Amino acid sequence: MALRSIARLKRLAWRLLLMLALLWGGGIAVFSVLPVPFSAVMVERQMSAWFSGDFGYVAHSDWVSMDEITPWMGLAVIAAEDQKFPDHWGFDVSAIEKALAHNERNENRIRGASTLSQQTVKNLFLWDGRSWVRKGLEAGLTLGMETVWSKKRILTVYLNIAEFGDGIFGVEAASQRYFHKSASQLTMAEAALLAAVLPNPIRFKANAPSGYVRSRQAWILRQMRQLGGEGFMRENKLY
């Protein structure tokens, strides 16, 4: 009897995995051309707010195409998060090796090495956390996304679903909230400021930047110039 129950559970688990694989595969195919209405992280934040009794929280995003986003914004997130983005296939091996070495020496200060592609997958399809299960799913989905999507498409989706503040998702919503203008009108400094809060957009505030956020903004601006400014975006067909 116990063996039959275990067998049923195994079959159920495999069916669930197959359904999720079909769902994620379909999502990669569909969102290669269609706007993303919401992300898994947005759903997670919204459900968490409701369960905690916060019915005023609304996870808000306004989809815009890359033509409606200043090239400074794409350059800013690449400079801040993933400078090898145009060249890798979803993973920055050297960054992973450095992160592993750092984490072995500093157990209380864990450093990540996620690329923009990995972050897009996590935000769009998965959940927060550091479990090996999530990381394994992230790796597989990242390879699928990199195979189907162009780098420009990955960057477009990332900018539209990234979290920039409490309930603020996507660069258009962030631009309207913090600077009262569209994402196409952001200056280089404003784009760098938005990119500076990405590591922790709940703790770091674009509308009340701490000294650390300002110093990070200045570092991002230097990196943007070193990468080559807007020319970098054109050369790599990201805009």
Side-chain angles (χ1 to χ4, degrees):
M1 193 70 177
L3 291 175
R4 289 181 182 176
S5 297
I6 292 172
R8 288 195 194 99
L9 287 174
K10 286 183 177 179
R11 285 196 298 271
L12 182 62
W14 279 112
R15 287 172 183 169
L16 179 60
L17 285 174
L18 179 59
M19 288 175 60
L20 287 174
L22 291 172
L23 180 64
W24 286 326
I28 289 175
V30 169
F31 296 136
S32 65
V33 292
L34 295 181
V36 177
F38 56 83
S39 68
V41 170
M42 291 175 69
V43 172
E44 183 179 354
R45 296 284 191 272
Q46 189 67 67
M47 296 301 292
S48 178
W50 284 344
F51 284 133
S52 64
D54 183 4
F55 297 103
Y57 178 95
V58 177
H60 178 65
S61 174
D62 294 314
W63 178 273
V64 285
S65 68
M66 188 59 83
D67 293 338
E68 300 171 278
I69 304 172
T70 175
W72 294 128
M73 194 65 237
L75 181 62
V77 297
I78 290 171
E81 301 286 311
D82 184 6
Q83 295 190 13
K84 295 181 181 179
F85 175 69
D87 304 314
H88 63 59
W89 273 81
F91 309 95
D92 186 341
V93 177
S94 63
I96 292 172
E97 291 174 345
K98 290 177 182 178
L100 289 173
H102 173 273
N103 296 341
E104 287 180 0
R105 298 191 304 268
N106 305 275
E107 294 183 2
N108 296 324
R109 296 180 61 187
I110 301 299
R111 177 187 296 174
S114 293
T115 62
L116 289 178
S117 303
Q118 290 173 274
Q119 292 179 47
T120 302
V121 162
K122 191 267 290 183
N123 290 341
L124 183 56
F125 294 120
L126 302 174
W127 60 91
D128 285 334
R130 295 182 179 274
S131 71
W132 287 108
V133 172
R134 191 190 68 76
K135 293 300 290 185
L137 290 171
E138 179 185 290
L141 288 168
T142 297
L143 288 173
M145 181 178 287
E146 283 275 351
T147 301
V148 177
W149 293 10
S150 67
K151 289 290 186 177
K152 180 179 178 181
R153 183 60 181 180
I154 294 172
L155 186 60
T156 301
V157 173
Y158 175 84
L159 290 174
N160 274 283
I161 64 175
E163 188 174 18
F164 288 97
D166 193 21
I168 305 170
F169 292 85
V171 64
E172 180 65 20
S175 183
Q176 294 289 351
R177 174 69 66 87
Y178 300 130
F179 305 112
H180 311 291
K181 63 172 83 171
S182 68
S184 64
Q185 298 174 311
L186 288 170
T187 66
M188 186 178 183
E190 290 166 344
L193 180 58
L194 289 180
V197 307
L198 285 173
N200 193 334
I202 304 303
R203 177 184 174 190
F204 303 137
K205 309 293 184 183
N207 56 343
S210 63
Y212 170 78
V213 170
R214 285 298 187 189
S215 66
R216 182 168 166 78
Q217 177 194 24
W219 177 83
I220 292 170
L221 284 168
R222 291 194 297 272
Q223 297 302 305
M224 291 168 72
R225 295 187 183 99
Q226 289 179 15
L227 285 172
E230 291 188 50
F232 174 89
M233 300 294 287
R234 290 192 294 272
E235 289 167 10
N236 290 286
K237 299 179 181 178
L238 296 171
Y239 187 77

